[in-house]
Amino acid sequence: QVQLVESGGGLVQAGGSLRLSCAASGRISSYAMGWFRHPPGKEREVVAAISWSGTSTYYADSVKGRFTISRDNAKNTVYLQMNSLKPEGTAVYYCAARRGSYYYTQNEEYDYWGQGTQVTVSS
């Protein structure tokens, strides 16, 4: 079992940057990892995902070129670097994990979830 804790959220102006971290209590080397966000009044959606080895990544069209997902298995941590933030990026951001060698983009494909961290982007 893997326990996940997100951190790094906060208030930032449009165009600014934030780096989210997801720390795992157990080893994540055999887990695919993902970042999701839940905007107010909308459904939770995938932001980015990364494979077990870190060699394959996925990004939602809305964040391509601005966000970067990465992982450090030795530190049992996954990161989401968010640049050029937009007001529509305001949401609770969640880290998720599942055992698997590829990356996954659907909510129901993940087994473990963090509590989320709030990101607010002002205009």
Side-chain angles (χ1 to χ4, degrees), residues 1 11 35 42 44 61 73 77 82-83 85 87 106 122:
Q1 186 174 353
L11 175 64
W35 283 99
K42 297 182 178 181
R44 185 169 57 190
D61 289 341
N73 289 344
T77 303
M82 305 186 295
N83 298 327
L85 282 163
Q106 303 297 314
S122 62

Side-chain angles (χ1 to χ4, degrees), residues 46-50 56-61 64 69 103-105:
V46 65
V47 175
I50 189 167
S56 297
T57 57
Y58 167 87
Y59 297 96
D61 289 341
K64 285 182 179 178
I69 187 171
Y103 61 74
Y104 305 88
T105 61

Side-chain angles (χ1 to χ4, degrees), residues 92-110:
V92 177
Y93 284 70
Y94 296 91
C95 177
R98 67 158 285 162
R99 189 178 295 276
S101 58
Y102 201 55
Y103 61 74
Y104 305 88
T105 61
Q106 303 297 314
N107 297 332
E108 58 270 22
E109 293 179 306
Y110 288 86

Side-chain angles (χ1 to χ4, degrees), residues 2-22:
V2 176
Q3 186 173 2
L4 307 173
V5 180
E6 303 95 336
S7 63
L11 175 64
V12 64
Q13 288 190 307
S17 299
L18 283 175
R19 188 196 193 201
L20 305 184
S21 297
C22 174

Side-chain angles (χ1 to χ4, degrees), residues 22 24 26-33 50-55 70-79:
C22 174
R27 293 188 296 274
I28 62 170
S29 59
S30 61
Y31 288 82
M33 306 292 294
I50 189 167
S51 64
W52 175 14
S53 65
T55 58
S70 62
R71 64 191 297 162
D72 187 338
N73 289 344
K75 295 182 178 179
N76 296 318
T77 303
V78 63
Y79 305 95

